Amino acid sequence: MNYLLHILIMISIYLILSLTLNFLVGYSGLLSLAHAAFYGIGAYSTTLFMIYLRMNFFLALLLGMILTFSLAYLIGKITLVFKEDFFVLVTLGFQIIIFSLLYNWIKLTKGPYGISGIPKPSLFRFSFSETWSFLCLCLAFFSLIFLYFKILHASSFVLYLKGLRDNELAFISSGKNPAYYKTLCFVIAGGIAGIAGALYASYITYIDPTSFTLDESIYILSIVMIGGTGNLKGPIIGTLFMVILPEALRFVGLPETIAPNIRQIIYGFLLVILMRFRPQGLLGEYKFE
Amino acid sequence: MNLIFQAEPFLLYGIIKGLLFALLAVGFCVVYKTTKIFHIAYGFIYTSASYFCLLFLEKLKFHLILSILLALIFTAILGLLIEKGIYFPLRIKKAPSGIYLVSSLGIYVIGINLIALLFGNETKILNSAIEKTFKFHNTVLTRTQLFQILWALCILSVFFFFLHRSQLGKRITALSNNPELFEALGWSEKFVRCLVLILSSLLAASASILASFDVGLDPNVGMNALLVGAVATIIGGIKNLKGAAIAGIGLGILQNLVVWQISSRWEQAVTFSTLILYLLLFRKKLAGKMRLEEE
């Protein structure tokens, strides 16, 4: 039973990540490879507030989010100067810089040793230490975020973003400022990804920088590209598929030593095949450009 | 004076590392320049070259020179297969750059994991013998390092000679400068693209094999190679092969100075900070270049 709950928790964490990255990739056409960095910033900032300042999870999360949003704003300001391949490369650069900081700033983050003993969240003397209660917390966060994106999906803001994505020149000629819309989109995506990080840290109770590597960014991007972008169905199906796939492989009886490689080979194949025959992903709307 | 004395080995090692980076940068740049593909699978090609060499040398016990030659040939075939099987069909569909990038990422993921499955994740060593060393002023160089300098210089010279002096080399430049005119003249784009991918793979393979004899190999070495290639290409001026080579050497020296003054752990962060700083400082110049490309 606990195993099932664990998978559901991981699904809800990755749902938050894929929904946020989808917002960036699918609605504004920006292919970011720095998503795991924001995931990591969220995880580390919340953890550090909880451990060093002995804060409650929710207060630490709030402060952590402020920090993640601010950093997303700063990084967005720099990366959004660039377009297409250059944007991808610069986000990749930030991913590596932030990973290096988490890994090498040992005084603050304990570097490769990681931080253990991260407390579980508690609210009004109720501790979310049981797996089922933590799942409820994750689902609550996911529902709120899903609702937020659902409202955004129907808003004029998203319409503007799609307009900007499809024809920047026409967008500029309508008197709108593309930098403002892109930055806001980047900040929303990066900032909310931080929540997933905070939940992950508190659930596993241990974090180290290897959970927030470039590979993780590629993994989240694969979820979004396989499921499809530009709507809310795509990332959800992508997440379900990608998180359940390794568990399914385990049931097939693949040895533990080769399972991670086989899993990655499968999603590599899917990426190549989908890009060739169905660039919008399984259920997506937007054909990536 | 004392500082120069201390810096000399780091500078020299930096130049050696930079020469390998120059090979990588030219290999990445030639693909980006002619096909506009952000060739992420380049990282996989780089890794596979060393593993081919390991396969022939250690597992099949072939002679050293034969192993290296076979590794170069197989890596070139791999590059050709990627062009034929993945990139060219996308070119026919007139796919946008993002599609190429994600497909290339897919190939990288497949390739690296196949290597890890077949050879394991641990670091392997190609050359376990104690090496003969040479003292050069204040610096001790191993035989492999001397070989690295000579081979890298030799390959770079041959490549640039081929590019500027031969008919085929000039066609590569022609395709990157004006694809429409290239087609109008009735030349085969397909053939030149294959040639570019083969050349790029050979350059990556040379760098990879040279590096792996010195520091060993593991399945993840390719990512760093790809990043260095991409960063040097941009700093070198995007479409400028010589610029990319010089930027590669510069990056090698910079990384070694970081190792000397700070710590090896910050190598990559410094590489990317340099890139971002460079892009921010020269973005107007770059934007002009990109606009020209679009026109």
Side-chain angles (χ1 to χ4, degrees):
Chain A
M1 187 62 189
N2 262 356
Y3 170 67
L4 195 68
L5 293 177
H6 164 73
I7 292 173
L8 287 173
I9 290 174
M10 289 320 284
I11 287 178
S12 39
I13 289 174
Y14 276 98
L15 275 173
I16 298 174
L17 288 172
S18 63
L19 278 176
T20 46
L21 186 62
N22 167 54
F23 191 61
L24 197 60
V25 177
Y27 293 105
S28 51
L30 296 165
L31 221 160
S32 165
L33 278 176
H35 218 56
F38 294 115
Y39 178 41
I41 293 170
Y44 268 93
S45 54
T46 311
T47 302
L48 292 175
F49 283 128
M50 279 166 84
I51 299 246
Y52 290 134
L53 301 177
R54 304 208 170 279
M55 278 182 188
N56 174 285
F57 172 81
F58 293 94
L59 187 61
L61 175 66
L62 187 72
L63 290 177
M65 272 186 69
I66 293 173
L67 190 79
T68 319
F69 273 110
S70 321
L71 279 172
Y73 177 76
L74 204 71
I75 294 174
K77 270 280 173 205
I78 299 172
T79 50
L80 289 166
V81 169
F82 309 104
K83 284 181 188 168
E84 296 179 4
D85 296 341
F86 293 89
F87 174 80
V88 181
L89 190 68
V90 176
T91 55
L92 195 153
F94 273 108
Q95 165 67 47
I96 287 178
I97 291 171
I98 287 169
F99 175 78
S100 295
L101 279 173
L102 295 179
Y103 200 84
N104 297 321
W105 196 350
I106 292 176
K107 271 188 186 157
L108 186 73
T109 64
K110 293 191 184 165
Y113 311 110
I115 302 174
S116 54
I118 302 167
K120 294 272 186 192
S122 60
L123 192 66
F124 304 121
R125 290 188 186 170
F126 177 78
S127 167
F128 292 89
S129 51
E130 296 284 330
T131 316
W132 65 267
S133 59
F134 200 90
L135 174 64
C136 293
L137 182 73
C138 285
L139 287 177
F141 269 108
F142 165 68
S143 311
L144 279 175
I145 290 165
F146 181 79
L147 199 70
Y148 174 67
F149 281 117
K150 186 98 186 149
I151 295 167
L152 268 185
H153 187 72
S155 70
S156 57
F157 176 65
V158 157
L159 274 180
Y160 285 138
L161 275 181
K162 284 181 176 174
L164 173 61
R165 175 193 76 188
D166 295 335
N167 193 339
E168 188 163 344
L169 215 58
F171 185 83
I172 296 168
S173 59
S174 72
K176 300 260 179 308
N177 177 9
Y180 167 78
Y181 283 89
K182 281 185 183 174
T183 312
L184 194 57
C185 181
F186 195 89
V187 170
I188 291 173
I192 299 179
I195 299 179
L199 287 171
Y200 174 80
S202 175
Y203 172 59
I204 304 286
T205 69
Y206 168 81
I207 46 169
D208 71 46
T210 55
S211 306
F212 313 107
T213 54
L214 177 61
D215 286 346
E216 187 68 14
S217 270
I218 296 177
Y219 179 68
I220 304 167
L221 185 69
S222 310
I223 292 180
V224 173
M225 297 308 282
I226 288 171
T229 55
N231 58 19
L232 298 176
K233 286 181 287 185
I236 292 178
I237 203 76
T239 310
L240 290 177
F241 177 77
M242 295 283 275
V243 180
I244 293 173
L245 177 73
E247 311 305 327
L249 285 178
R250 198 172 295 167
F251 279 111
V252 174
L254 265 181
E256 279 293 314
T257 45
I258 62 163
N261 295 121
I262 298 278
R263 190 181 77 213
Q264 295 205 31
I265 290 173
I266 292 175
Y267 75 69
F269 259 115
L270 277 172
L271 277 182
V272 174
I273 304 246
L274 281 171
M275 285 305 109
R276 175 90 167 266
F277 300 105
R278 200 179 156 77
Q280 67 270 47
L282 293 173
L283 290 180
E285 278 174 18
Y286 172 54
K287 283 188 191 175
F288 193 77
E289 282 181 11
Chain B
M1 196 63 200
N2 195 23
L3 193 73
I4 298 171
F5 198 66
Q6 278 177 11
E8 190 200 289
F10 289 96
L11 219 63
L12 206 61
Y13 295 148
I15 292 171
I16 298 173
K17 197 175 186 182
L19 280 170
L20 299 188
F21 284 1
L23 289 176
L24 283 173
V26 174
F28 184 86
C29 184
V30 75
V31 174
Y32 193 73
K33 179 177 148 91
T34 35
T35 62
K36 309 275 182 308
I37 298 171
F38 200 85
H39 187 29
I40 296 183
Y42 191 64
F44 159 54
I45 287 182
Y46 177 88
T47 315
S48 65
S50 298
Y51 276 91
F52 276 131
C53 198
L54 178 82
L55 175 75
F56 295 125
L57 191 66
E58 298 285 322
K59 309 259 172 188
L60 302 176
K61 305 283 179 206
F62 287 176
H63 186 265
L64 175 71
I65 310 248
L66 181 67
S67 303
I68 294 176
L69 271 177
L70 283 174
L72 287 172
I73 294 169
F74 274 79
T75 316
I77 294 173
L78 198 64
L80 185 66
L81 287 178
I82 291 174
E83 162 65 12
K84 288 254 182 206
I86 313 289
Y87 291 159
F88 200 72
L90 289 176
R91 165 81 181 88
I92 292 171
K93 285 177 85 176
K94 293 200 165 62
S97 65
I99 301 277
Y100 281 108
L101 195 140
V102 179
S103 301
S104 196
L105 186 69
I107 303 168
Y108 172 79
V109 171
I110 298 170
I112 293 304
N113 283 287
L114 268 178
I115 290 176
L117 262 185
L118 295 172
F119 293 93
N121 266 316
E122 66 281 3
T123 304
K124 300 254 197 283
I125 297 163
L126 273 178
N127 180 18
S128 53
I130 296 172
E131 288 216 55
K132 212 172 169 184
T133 56
F134 303 89
K135 197 153 165 63
F136 175 80
H137 200 226
N138 185 34
T139 316
V140 178
L141 292 177
T142 63
R143 201 171 54 178
T144 309
Q145 281 174 319
L146 275 181
F147 199 61
Q148 283 179 335
I149 302 174
L150 293 176
W151 198 2
L153 282 175
C154 182
I155 288 175
L156 281 174
S157 325
V158 170
F159 176 78
F160 280 111
F161 185 80
F162 169 77
L163 201 73
H164 295 304
R165 298 292 156 138
S166 73
Q167 201 69 28
L168 272 177
K170 282 179 182 167
R171 284 201 188 168
I172 292 178
T173 317
L175 177 63
S176 69
N177 287 348
N178 197 336
E180 285 81 19
L181 187 63
F182 186 89
E183 236 170 283
L185 287 169
W187 291 332
S188 163
E189 185 194 345
K190 201 172 171 182
F191 173 72
V192 175
R193 280 174 64 111
C194 289
L195 181 70
V196 165
L197 261 287
I198 289 175
L199 284 176
S200 149
S201 306
L202 286 175
L203 285 161
S206 313
S208 168
I209 295 168
L210 284 174
S212 58
F213 270 100
D214 196 19
V215 292
L217 61 156
D218 69 72
N220 297 311
V221 287
M223 185 45 89
N224 193 35
L226 161 75
L227 300 179
V228 166
V231 172
T233 296
I234 293 177
I235 294 181
I238 302 173
K239 291 191 113 190
N240 184 350
L241 285 166
K242 279 185 188 139
I246 294 167
I249 297 175
L251 276 179
I253 296 173
L254 179 75
Q255 284 198 356
N256 261 32
L257 289 181
V258 171
V259 173
W260 176 41
Q261 286 295 330
I262 312 169
S263 153
S264 62
R265 295 177 311 191
W266 294 100
E267 265 179 0
Q268 279 200 333
V270 168
T271 308
F272 273 97
S273 307
T274 313
L275 170 77
I276 292 166
L277 205 70
Y278 173 85
L279 285 173
L280 285 174
L281 288 175
F282 297 101
R283 76 169 184 260
K284 281 198 180 125
K285 204 172 137 195
L286 277 171
K289 239 176 215 169
M290 282 159 76
R291 205 170 299 130
L292 273 177
E293 270 174 43
E294 279 167 20
E295 280 166 9

